[in-house]
Amino acid sequence: MSKRISILLLFVLVSAGAAFGQTSYPYVITTLAGSSPVDGGPAKSALLELPMAVAVDSSGNVYISDQNGPDIRKVTKDGTISVLAQVPQPQGGSGVYASSVQADGAGNVYFTAQGVVYKVSPAGKRTTVAGGSPQLFTPYLALDAAGNIYVTDMYYCIVRQITPDGKMQTIAGNGTCGTAGDNGPATSAQLQYPGSVAVDSSGDIYVGQQYRIRKISTATGIITSVGGGAGTSIADGGRATTAYISF
C-alpha cells in the first residue's frame, strides 16, 4: 500500500503580518482533520490522503477536496466529517479530483473537476453548471455576492463568468496568452496562464497569473496589474507592482 498523506493543516492567524525572511512567525498551527480512514465521526480521526482545496461557508463548515479520495468532504463546526459529494470519474477510470471548491451564502457548494463546474445543493444533489461544451481547461472558480461564478481557463488564457441563469461570457482575456493590455478593457487584454481567482466585497475580480496579479473592475471593465510584473525583489514592504511573483 502506498504511503498516505493523512494530515490537513489549517493555519490560524493570531497576529498580523510576518516579514519575509523571519526565523519565527506569529502563527499557531492546528490540525483540523486527518488521521485514519473514518467518516461520520471526528474529523481528526478521518483519513485525508492528498487535500487539494479548502472552502468555508458562512456557518463555519469546512469543505475539503481530497485528490486521492476523490471526494468533497465536509467538516461541521462540531468537528464531524462526512462525504458531501463524490467527484465524477470517467467510465472504468479514476484519478479525477476537484481542483477548486467554494461555498455560497445559500449553502450550495461548487467544485471544478476535469473541465466541469458542479454544484451540490444543501440536500446533497449534484448538478452540472458548466463545462463539457463549451469546454473549460483546468478551471479554478470564485463566487460573488450576486451568485455569479468566475472560472479561469489556463489553456485559452481567459476568465469566464457564469450568471445565475446559466449564461456564460468571457470577461477577461482575448485568447492570446501574454501580459499586455493593462489599463484597457479586460476583454482586449492578454492573460498569462490564469490560475487562482477571487472576488472582493465590491465585486472586483482578482486573477493570479504567471508573474503577476491582475484586477478586473466590474464597474468599468478595466484590467490592471496590482502585484508582480517586471519586478525582481522578493522582499516585503515595497510596492506590490515591483515585487517578483513566480507563479
Short mmCIF file of all heavy atoms in Angstrom, two decimals, residues 4 6 12 21 26-27 35 41 59 74 83-84 88 118 124 126 140 153 177 181-182 203 211 216 223 237:
data_model
loop_
_atom_site.label_atom_id
_atom_site.label_comp_id
_atom_site.label_asym_id
_atom_site.label_seq_id
_atom_site.Cartn_x
_atom_site.Cartn_y
_atom_site.Cartn_z
N ARG A 4 0.41 7.11 2.59
CA ARG A 4 -0.67 8.09 2.50
C ARG A 4 -0.34 9.34 3.29
O ARG A 4 0.22 9.29 4.38
CB ARG A 4 -1.97 7.49 3.04
CG ARG A 4 -2.48 6.35 2.15
CD ARG A 4 -3.76 5.80 2.69
NE ARG A 4 -4.34 4.84 1.76
CZ ARG A 4 -5.48 4.22 1.97
NH1 ARG A 4 -6.18 4.45 3.06
NH2 ARG A 4 -5.94 3.35 1.08
N SER A 6 -1.89 12.02 5.40
CA SER A 6 -3.15 11.93 6.11
C SER A 6 -3.48 13.15 6.95
O SER A 6 -4.40 13.12 7.74
CB SER A 6 -3.14 10.70 7.02
OG SER A 6 -2.13 10.81 7.98
N VAL A 12 -4.00 29.20 11.53
CA VAL A 12 -4.84 30.16 12.22
C VAL A 12 -3.99 31.37 12.56
O VAL A 12 -3.05 31.28 13.33
CB VAL A 12 -5.42 29.55 13.52
CG1 VAL A 12 -6.33 30.56 14.20
CG2 VAL A 12 -6.17 28.27 13.21
N GLY A 21 11.69 36.38 5.39
CA GLY A 21 13.00 36.04 5.94
C GLY A 21 13.02 35.92 7.46
O GLY A 21 14.07 35.67 8.04
N PRO A 26 4.38 34.77 13.92
CA PRO A 26 3.33 34.85 14.95
C PRO A 26 2.08 34.09 14.57
O PRO A 26 0.98 34.62 14.55
CB PRO A 26 3.06 36.36 15.01
CG PRO A 26 3.30 36.81 13.61
CD PRO A 26 4.45 35.98 13.10
N TYR A 27 2.23 32.80 14.20
CA TYR A 27 1.10 31.99 13.82
C TYR A 27 1.03 30.75 14.70
O TYR A 27 2.04 30.25 15.19
CB TYR A 27 1.22 31.52 12.35
CG TYR A 27 1.38 32.63 11.35
CD1 TYR A 27 2.37 32.55 10.36
CD2 TYR A 27 0.56 33.74 11.39
CE1 TYR A 27 2.52 33.58 9.43
CE2 TYR A 27 0.71 34.76 10.47
CZ TYR A 27 1.69 34.68 9.50
OH TYR A 27 1.83 35.68 8.59
N SER A 35 -6.24 11.64 10.03
CA SER A 35 -5.55 10.68 10.89
C SER A 35 -5.77 9.26 10.41
O SER A 35 -4.85 8.58 10.04
CB SER A 35 -6.01 10.81 12.36
OG SER A 35 -5.30 9.90 13.16
N GLY A 41 -17.52 10.50 11.77
CA GLY A 41 -17.05 10.66 13.14
C GLY A 41 -16.18 11.89 13.26
O GLY A 41 -16.24 12.81 12.43
N SER A 59 -21.61 29.45 7.76
CA SER A 59 -21.93 28.80 9.04
C SER A 59 -20.71 28.20 9.71
O SER A 59 -20.82 27.64 10.80
CB SER A 59 -22.98 27.70 8.80
OG SER A 59 -24.17 28.23 8.28
N LYS A 74 -16.95 17.23 4.09
CA LYS A 74 -17.48 18.34 4.88
C LYS A 74 -17.13 18.13 6.34
O LYS A 74 -17.34 17.04 6.89
CB LYS A 74 -19.00 18.42 4.72
CG LYS A 74 -19.68 19.49 5.57
CD LYS A 74 -21.19 19.49 5.35
CE LYS A 74 -21.88 20.53 6.22
NZ LYS A 74 -23.36 20.53 6.00
N VAL A 83 -18.74 12.63 3.84
CA VAL A 83 -18.60 12.85 2.40
C VAL A 83 -19.80 13.64 1.92
O VAL A 83 -20.94 13.20 2.05
CB VAL A 83 -18.51 11.51 1.64
CG1 VAL A 83 -18.53 11.76 0.13
CG2 VAL A 83 -17.24 10.76 2.04
N LEU A 84 -19.55 14.83 1.36
CA LEU A 84 -20.63 15.64 0.82
C LEU A 84 -21.00 15.19 -0.58
O LEU A 84 -22.17 15.09 -0.93
CB LEU A 84 -20.21 17.11 0.79
CG LEU A 84 -21.21 18.06 0.14
CD1 LEU A 84 -22.41 18.28 1.08
CD2 LEU A 84 -20.56 19.39 -0.20
N PRO A 88 -17.19 12.96 -10.02
CA PRO A 88 -17.45 12.01 -11.12
C PRO A 88 -16.15 11.53 -11.77
O PRO A 88 -15.22 12.31 -11.98
CB PRO A 88 -18.29 12.83 -12.10
CG PRO A 88 -18.92 13.89 -11.27
CD PRO A 88 -17.91 14.23 -10.22
N TYR A 118 -19.39 21.88 -11.07
CA TYR A 118 -20.51 21.19 -10.44
C TYR A 118 -21.04 22.00 -9.26
O TYR A 118 -20.31 22.77 -8.63
CB TYR A 118 -20.08 19.82 -9.91
CG TYR A 118 -19.61 18.86 -10.97
CD1 TYR A 118 -18.26 18.69 -11.24
CD2 TYR A 118 -20.53 18.09 -11.70
CE1 TYR A 118 -17.82 17.79 -12.21
CE2 TYR A 118 -20.10 17.19 -12.67
CZ TYR A 118 -18.75 17.05 -12.92
OH TYR A 118 -18.31 16.16 -13.88
N GLY A 124 -27.73 17.80 -0.94
CA GLY A 124 -26.75 16.83 -1.43
C GLY A 124 -26.89 16.46 -2.88
O GLY A 124 -26.20 15.57 -3.36
N ARG A 126 -26.17 16.74 -6.70
CA ARG A 126 -25.10 17.27 -7.55
C ARG A 126 -25.62 17.51 -8.96
O ARG A 126 -26.25 16.64 -9.56
CB ARG A 126 -23.93 16.29 -7.60
CG ARG A 126 -22.69 16.84 -8.32
CD ARG A 126 -21.67 15.75 -8.55
NE ARG A 126 -22.14 14.78 -9.53
CZ ARG A 126 -21.91 13.47 -9.48
NH1 ARG A 126 -21.24 12.96 -8.47
NH2 ARG A 126 -22.37 12.66 -10.42
N TYR A 140 -10.37 27.09 -12.22
CA TYR A 140 -10.48 27.42 -10.81
C TYR A 140 -11.64 28.39 -10.70
O TYR A 140 -11.93 29.13 -11.64
CB TYR A 140 -9.19 28.05 -10.28
CG TYR A 140 -8.04 27.09 -10.26
CD1 TYR A 140 -7.32 26.81 -11.40
CD2 TYR A 140 -7.70 26.43 -9.09
CE1 TYR A 140 -6.27 25.91 -11.39
CE2 TYR A 140 -6.65 25.52 -9.06
CZ TYR A 140 -5.93 25.26 -10.21
OH TYR A 140 -4.91 24.36 -10.20
N ASP A 153 -9.40 29.91 -17.21
CA ASP A 153 -9.11 28.89 -18.21
C ASP A 153 -7.65 29.06 -18.62
O ASP A 153 -7.29 30.00 -19.33
CB ASP A 153 -10.03 29.07 -19.42
CG ASP A 153 -9.99 27.88 -20.37
OD1 ASP A 153 -8.88 27.42 -20.67
OD2 ASP A 153 -11.07 27.44 -20.81
N CYS A 177 -2.23 34.26 -24.99
CA CYS A 177 -1.53 34.25 -23.71
C CYS A 177 -0.44 35.31 -23.70
O CYS A 177 0.34 35.42 -24.67
CB CYS A 177 -0.94 32.88 -23.43
SG CYS A 177 -2.18 31.57 -23.33
N GLY A 181 -1.98 44.77 -22.14
CA GLY A 181 -3.37 45.20 -22.06
C GLY A 181 -3.78 45.91 -20.80
O GLY A 181 -4.97 46.24 -20.65
N ASP A 182 -2.85 46.16 -19.87
CA ASP A 182 -3.23 46.87 -18.64
C ASP A 182 -3.80 48.24 -18.95
O ASP A 182 -3.41 48.90 -19.93
CB ASP A 182 -2.01 47.01 -17.72
CG ASP A 182 -1.84 45.81 -16.81
OD1 ASP A 182 -2.74 44.96 -16.76
OD2 ASP A 182 -0.79 45.71 -16.14
N GLY A 203 -17.06 43.41 -5.54
CA GLY A 203 -17.34 42.69 -6.77
C GLY A 203 -16.20 42.71 -7.77
O GLY A 203 -16.32 42.13 -8.86
N TYR A 211 3.64 35.41 -13.05
CA TYR A 211 4.43 36.62 -12.77
C TYR A 211 3.66 37.82 -12.26
O TYR A 211 4.27 38.83 -11.91
CB TYR A 211 5.25 37.06 -14.01
CG TYR A 211 6.16 35.99 -14.54
CD1 TYR A 211 6.11 35.63 -15.89
CD2 TYR A 211 7.05 35.32 -13.72
CE1 TYR A 211 6.94 34.64 -16.40
CE2 TYR A 211 7.89 34.33 -14.21
CZ TYR A 211 7.82 33.99 -15.55
OH TYR A 211 8.64 33.02 -16.04
N ILE A 216 -9.67 43.10 -12.22
CA ILE A 216 -10.68 43.47 -13.21
C ILE A 216 -11.78 44.24 -12.47
O ILE A 216 -12.43 43.71 -11.57
CB ILE A 216 -11.28 42.23 -13.89
CG1 ILE A 216 -10.17 41.38 -14.52
CG2 ILE A 216 -12.31 42.63 -14.92
CD1 ILE A 216 -10.55 39.95 -14.75
N ILE A 223 -8.82 46.40 -16.80
CA ILE A 223 -7.89 45.48 -16.13
C ILE A 223 -6.60 46.22 -15.80
O ILE A 223 -6.11 47.04 -16.58
CB ILE A 223 -7.61 44.24 -17.00
CG1 ILE A 223 -6.84 43.18 -16.21
CG2 ILE A 223 -6.88 44.61 -18.29
CD1 ILE A 223 -6.75 41.84 -16.91
N GLY A 237 7.37 44.82 2.03
CA GLY A 237 7.44 46.20 2.48
C GLY A 237 7.51 47.22 1.36
O GLY A 237 7.40 48.42 1.61
#
